[in-house]
Amino acid sequence: MGAVVSHASAAAPPPPQGYAQHPPPFGDAAAAAAPPSAHEAAAEEVDYMDLPCPVPYEEIQREAFMSLKPDTFEGLRFDFTKGLNPFFGLSHSVSMGSMELPSQGAEVIKVPTSNYEFGANFMDPKMMLIGRVSHDGRLTARVKCDLLENLCLKVNAQLTNEPHYSQGMFSFDYKGKDFRSQFQLGNNAFYGGNYIQSVTKNLSLGTEAFWLGQQRKSGVGFVARYDTKKMVATGQIATTGLVSLSYVQKVSEKVSLASDFMYNHMAKDVTASFGYDYMLRQCRLRGKIDTNGVVSALLEERLVTGVNFVLSAELDHWKKDYKFGFGMVLGE
């Protein structure tokens, strides 16, 4: 107490580690030595009251699916869509190709087949109705209706002439500020639910559970998704024996690379694949290659406004199964 130390006799403090190798600029010496302010320290902390809403549970791998699940086909396909007004439109789809039949050996057996579908769409800001009916009597319907501001009803149904092949599913989706939840009810006494929550601005965690009463089966799963402006990584594990990992790297606004890894403990099956998604001014090219020896690619070329040309190819070297297709898409 009361001691006085002169500046001349005080020893100079030792320089901070790394100072001699990388001295700060002349004008930033004071700023480098000053401790971070309270405002800067608070900015680095996570504000749990202001987190973004995560993507829906069933869409956590949507970026990877765009590259790794191209809609390849075999033969000829022609799609025509006509909008009658801003809310209602009609569509026609014709396809000619082949259908694989189950066989005992590794040989692939195909028979020629053709299909025609007529569709009708109704689009409204609060309701969406999509219906498709094929020449063999198969009916597919999708309904999406906003019951409340944050509550949505979804219905997916498929009706066929064959017994025990018709399916139906009702889903109630609730969208919160930083979470999403869903309850599902389907035929065959199916009950399911899922919940996904944003933990940070980039990380979201979720869980799901289901019960299939007719087969007396149940399962629980957990997912994690980490996304930034440059990459998206997801992980999924379930008590059914499924382990799924995916990673998407956004090289630029037009180029994305994706990879995934899937392990099925029950079937003792392991599959890994690598894919790409390349968008040019007039076309989009997607493709993948996996550890089963399957190479696929899908090219969508816009010839003029409202006219798209599609090329599809899938090569399965192990089964010696090669599929090629081309098609035209008319309408927006």
Side-chain angles (χ1 to χ4, degrees):
M1 299 295 293
V4 178
V5 179
S6 65
H7 294 282
S9 60
Q17 186 177 3
Y19 184 91
Q21 291 83 1
H22 304 284
F26 176 77
D28 298 335
S37 62
H39 176 72
E40 295 175 348
E44 298 178 356
E45 298 179 356
V46 178
D47 185 4
Y48 293 98
M49 301 302 294
D50 186 21
L51 295 178
C53 185
V55 301
Y57 189 95
E58 62 270 16
E59 298 181 11
I60 62 168
Q61 296 182 347
R62 59 186 182 186
E63 292 85 358
F65 283 165
M66 294 300 294
S67 302
L68 302 176
K69 304 293 183 181
D71 186 18
T72 57
F73 59 95
E74 183 179 13
L76 172 66
R77 190 174 70 182
F78 177 80
D79 298 325
F80 174 74
T81 303
K82 175 64 176 180
L84 303 182
N85 55 53
F87 303 99
F88 188 72
L90 302 177
S91 66
H92 303 269
S93 179
V94 179
S95 61
M96 293 181 291
S98 60
M99 179 179 60
E100 296 184 8
L101 297 179
S103 60
Q104 299 295 334
E107 183 182 359
V108 178
I109 302 176
K110 298 182 179 181
V111 295
T113 183
S114 60
N115 185 60
Y116 167 75
E117 285 188 354
F118 172 77
N121 306 328
F122 177 80
M123 302 292 181
D124 186 78
K126 292 187 177 181
M127 179 175 290
M128 179 183 69
L129 304 175
I130 299 177
R132 298 287 186 273
V133 59
S134 63
H135 71 282
D136 58 357
R138 186 177 66 254
L139 174 65
T140 304
R142 294 176 55 194
V143 179
K144 181 180 179 182
C145 178
D146 294 337
L147 303 178
L148 299 174
E149 183 179 359
N150 295 328
L151 182 61
C152 175
L153 169 65
K154 296 179 181 179
V155 180
N156 294 321
Q158 183 175 359
L159 306 178
T160 64
N161 296 325
E162 302 179 10
H164 309 295
Y165 277 88
S166 298
Q167 298 178 357
M169 179 75 70
F170 292 84
S171 302
F172 295 90
D173 297 5
Y174 183 81
K175 178 182 178 182
K177 182 180 179 182
D178 57 0
F179 71 93
R180 290 178 184 265
S181 60
Q182 183 185 72
F183 174 74
Q184 298 174 325
L185 176 64
N187 62 326
N188 298 326
F190 175 84
Y191 304 93
N194 58 65
Y195 178 87
I196 186 169
Q197 170 75 54
S198 291
V199 181
T200 66
K201 291 185 177 180
N202 304 110
L203 178 64
S204 56
L205 303 176
T207 182
E208 69 171 343
F210 73 90
W211 165 256
L212 188 57
Q214 186 172 2
Q215 301 181 7
R216 304 188 65 83
K217 291 183 179 180
S218 63
V220 178
F222 302 91
V223 299
R225 174 185 167 97
Y226 186 85
D227 63 286
T228 64
K229 296 181 179 180
K230 292 294 184 180
M231 54 80 68
V232 178
T234 65
Q236 183 176 6
I237 185 172
T239 56
T240 55
L242 176 65
V243 178
S244 176
L245 305 174
S246 69
Y247 178 81
V248 178
Q249 179 67 42
K250 302 176 183 178
V251 180
S252 65
E253 296 182 357
K254 298 182 179 181
V255 182
S256 298
L257 302 178
S259 62
D260 72 344
F261 171 85
M262 295 188 65
Y263 171 66
N264 192 329
H265 178 71
M266 300 299 180
K268 303 299 182 181
D269 182 36
V270 180
T271 304
S273 59
F274 172 80
Y276 56 89
D277 188 354
Y278 190 21
M279 290 186 291
L280 297 174
R281 187 180 63 177
Q282 292 292 116
C283 73
R284 182 176 188 177
L285 179 62
R286 290 177 288 170
K288 74 163 187 176
I289 180 173
D290 60 25
T291 54
N292 292 326
V294 179
V295 181
S296 60
L298 181 66
L299 173 66
E300 300 171 279
E301 175 77 21
R302 171 169 291 188
L303 304 179
V304 295
T305 303
V307 180
N308 295 337
F309 179 65
V310 183
L311 284 177
S312 173
E314 181 175 307
L315 310 178
D316 191 338
H317 296 288
W318 296 110
K319 296 182 179 180
K320 296 182 179 180
D321 183 18
Y322 310 105
K323 302 177 183 178
F324 300 94
F326 65 95
M328 296 290 293
V329 181
L330 304 181
E332 293 293 337

